[in-house]
Amino acid sequence: MAVGSFDFTIAIGGEAGQGIATPGDILARIFVRRGLHLNTYNAYQSIIRGGHIFLYLRVCDEEIYTHGDKLDILMCLNQDTMDRHLQLMRPGSWVLYNEDNIKPGEAGDGVQLCPLPVTKLSVTRNRLSQNTMAVGSAAHLLGLDFQVLEESLTLRFQRQGQAVIDENVSVARAGYDHSVANFEAFDQTVPTGPKPLAVWSGNEALAMGGAAAGVKFYAAYPMSPATGVLHWMAQNARNLGIMVRQVEDEIGVANMVIGAAHTGCRAMCATSGGGFALMTEAVGSAAMMEIPAVFIDVMRAGPSTGVPTKTEQGDLWQVLGASQGDFERFIVAPTTPVDCFNTMPELFNLTDKYQCPGIVVSDLLLSEGRFSIAPDLIDMHPHIDRGELITKGSSTDGYMRYKDTETGISPRALPGLEGYVHVVATDEHDENSQLLSDEFTNPHKRRKMVEKRARKFKVAIEDIKPPELEGPADAEITLIGWGSTYGVIREAVEILAQQGVAVNHLAIKWIVPFHGEAITEILSKSKRVVVVENSFSGQFYRYMRSETGLSVDGHIRKYDGEPFIPHHIVDGVKAHLAEKIECFVPYQEAIT
Amino acid sequence: MATTMPATDDKPVIPLTARDFKGLVDPDWCAGCGDFGVLNALQRSCAELGLRPHEILTVSGIGCSSNLPGYFNSYGMHTLHGRSLAVATGAKLGNHRLHVIVTGGDGDGYGIGGNHFTHTARRNVDLTYVVMNNQIYGLTTGQISPTSTMGMKTKSTPFGSVEAPLNPITSAIMNGATFVARGFSGDVRHLTELMKQAIQHSGFSLIDIFSPCVTFNHDNSNAFFKERIKKLEDEGHDTNDWKTACEKAMLFGDTIYTGLFFQKQAPTLGGSEPVLEPDEPLGLQTLGLDKEQTKRIIERMM
């Protein structure tokens, strides 16, 4: 179902190495420059050459939160794509393919097969000609002037010189003209939005949010799907004065970040579940030494190496249980790309104030998806509050790093300052950093220090906004999701409303501290509650129950590696309304 | 030497003595432990170099010897087992004005922290790594370490170790360390001189120190070393010659060499990073982006 008056999805399929990213990029740029909203999802494999890659590009004149349910143009770069996806095409859609080497399948009614005689039309023998030609044809099908495409191609290839530009423009022109002569175009012209939009991925939003928050040190070990944060940081390091390091392993990453953070840098790192597992001991050490540092876990399907290029929300319990002992930390799961950005300065202010680690939980869908964003929604100058930080030397004596204060927060002096010499320790220590095991292991001192650190968190929840219910109060069903499922649940709720089914939505962003009371209050008014999550065992539901004692009426869960799309949730809601079922698991129709 | 700390005030600088580098508590090491000699040498060398406690950051891992920062008057970090070099690298890059001295043991540095040892050496991070090598796990009451000799009987090897030991000196040279020395805790005067040179060296400096464990390692005792140790400088060793350095480092029989095996000048990790060029260390800079930086970021997204 369409959201805006213009809601169109192009899918490009082929194998790794066939150059899917380039036509995707060219089309994406055309749309966002026109001010249209974009949401892309790339279904790919852990392979550099071969396999099957399927890129969804959804464009709309209104804001969109998912890559949607339907396909309007299918661009087949290989036979495999034709064989897998033709069956999904609905009336009024187009299938573009190179007729030289791809045999069309049996198309459904109203599906227009658009063969491109690539060799005949091509002026070159470049194997990527078919991609550019397909883009040319798609531009015609969408009613775009060729000039728009020409500009986009010129921009895309300008670094490679005029010859490459000319070649691509002429191949695209051939595809465009062939399409004009042979295929029937979309009956709607591509609209123009109020102003040009920018493009970013969730990973880029996390990195930019960190930079805006004042990150001065970033370290990483490459790991999908978190590597995008490293790439952005490395690219911008010199412009922004950020020390960016690629380290030997994630253990080194986390500890290096803590070392830099101790000297006063805002410092962070990003990884996926496996790398985060290696970081966990360090997370606890940051809590014990009371050093603020931020760790990002971009979840992929596990356990173990799992499905490296597929999405899942299966690390919640890992982050909840990360590191031995009983300690305080923040855990937050941003809900949208712009929320990824905004979460970073917010979290850095909190970890500075409470001098503790903060963990961000994203996933492949949110982090690697590419989305349009209005530049004026990005606040590159957010409020920065470093808490009780001492940055100037002094001649007064008697500084104690872990002074037992009313709030539990002890003023933090940075190394290098005169008058504040102190040791920080991962061993339990007293107010003056002296290790408890260096003398009689004093139970009274131990209790005092545990309570000092815990006291900091008594009030932390007041700094965090409680979740709010979206949608009608008298809904038939309340859907609860956490993190990246925000978008798909939101769209499903809109679709259901159009179909006369009233559903509301409670999206949870903050995992620790958890607004258990506020959530209980909201859910006490719900008729039925269904939890939506991208994991088999319902990790979020079990956590919510442990924090609130609440049980719910049903579940919608998916754990096949592919993200939810709106109709999965719509179908799930209808199934729960029709009969009492415990858990609805949608069927992933296309073998992407 | 690392960048000198600018004077923070106009008070006359009173020379410090080794005593001024004494920490808040006395060491809880066993009587006769080699680590006392190492602590003593470190305190002397910092005093003799005219360093001030607030200009130094000592970073350690876990183990008997890793308790050193608590016994030493400077900024200190007592971090996780095996992670001192990673933490120290972050700290050095965060504030490149600090003199970063990493202390720990053979298990901490060459065992659980072995990966960081390799990479910190090859990156030539400008810090000094002081390893108190007693060839045993002491704090866990006596098991083999990566430097235990073959045949050594411990609680985890009751029939004798069947593993060959790691050689810290040759490993460090092969990994790209630019200052590689060996000391002996029983010769504090010699050790002090080595430490002074190491702290003044620009780049990664390792001093592997025989620091006998009097409780759990009866094979490699003070007496064992005293009768075998010869100083490289007494034999006119060429510290530019890495091959001879390795040959001499591998001797562990009637003759065991101490002294500076190898030294070279090479760019340090921080020294080749333009983001460290501004005078203000990263950790002390005012946060927030300016308009020009922001503009460049947004333009790239359009």
Side-chain angles (χ1 to χ4, degrees), chain A residues 259-295:
Chain A
H262 183 55
T263 62
C265 296
R266 278 194 163 175
M268 70 179 219
C269 53
T271 182
S272 189
F276 187 77
L278 296 184
M279 293 181 177
T280 54
E281 193 187 16
V283 173
S285 81
M288 189 55 142
M289 293 188 283
E290 301 195 46
I291 297 172
V294 170
F295 306 85

Side-chain angles (χ1 to χ4, degrees), chain A residues 262 288-290 398-404 410-411 413 420-439 445 449 452-453, chain B residues 23-25 66-72 74-78:
Chain A
H262 183 55
M288 189 55 142
M289 293 188 283
E290 301 195 46
Y399 173 72
M400 293 199 288
R401 170 63 187 95
Y402 299 112
K403 192 173 163 53
D404 189 21
S410 322
Y420 293 100
V421 167
H422 67 271
V423 176
V424 293
T426 58
D427 276 70
E428 182 62 285
H429 40 263
D430 66 10
E431 288 180 89
N432 206 14
S433 310
Q434 198 175 317
L435 308 195
L436 291 203
S437 57
D438 270 359
E439 50 165 333
K445 280 189 179 174
M449 295 311 287
K452 179 201 103 70
R453 289 188 296 267
Chain B
L24 287 176
V25 287
S66 285
N67 284 343
L68 187 142
Y71 314 138
F72 187 80
S74 77
Y75 279 96
M77 299 183 82
H78 191 167

Side-chain angles (χ1 to χ4, degrees), chain A residues 186-306:
Chain A
F186 191 39
D187 54 10
Q188 229 182 331
T189 320
V190 181
T192 305
K195 56 190 172 184
L197 299 177
V199 180
W200 64 0
S201 66
N203 275 339
E204 286 165 352
L206 289 167
M208 282 174 61
V215 162
K216 285 280 152 199
F217 190 91
Y218 181 81
Y221 183 87
M223 184 171 189
S224 299
T227 316
V229 183
L230 170 63
H231 291 172
W232 192 93
M233 283 291 183
Q235 186 70 45
N236 289 279
R238 292 191 180 177
N239 174 31
L240 306 180
I242 301 173
M243 175 61 74
V244 178
R245 303 262 42 105
Q246 183 180 323
V247 182
E248 58 271 19
D249 56 32
E250 287 89 347
I251 301 176
V253 167
N255 284 284
M256 221 177 259
V257 159
I258 289 168
H262 183 55
T263 62
C265 296
R266 278 194 163 175
M268 70 179 219
C269 53
T271 182
S272 189
F276 187 77
L278 296 184
M279 293 181 177
T280 54
E281 193 187 16
V283 173
S285 81
M288 189 55 142
M289 293 188 283
E290 301 195 46
I291 297 172
V294 170
F295 306 85
I296 300 173
D297 176 5
V298 182
M299 297 179 287
R300 68 191 209 189
S304 189
T305 311

Side-chain angles (χ1 to χ4, degrees), chain A residues 102-147:
Chain A
I102 297 171
K103 287 197 190 74
E106 196 71 33
D109 287 344
V111 177
Q112 200 182 151
L113 286 172
C114 307
L116 294 168
V118 175
T119 312
K120 200 174 113 193
L121 296 178
S122 220
V123 288
T124 71
R125 296 179 63 85
N126 189 328
R127 66 182 182 88
L128 299 177
S129 288
Q130 64 165 353
N131 304 6
T132 313
M133 200 171 286
V135 171
S137 177
H140 158 252
L141 297 178
L142 286 162
L144 291 167
D145 285 338
F146 184 73
Q147 198 198 336

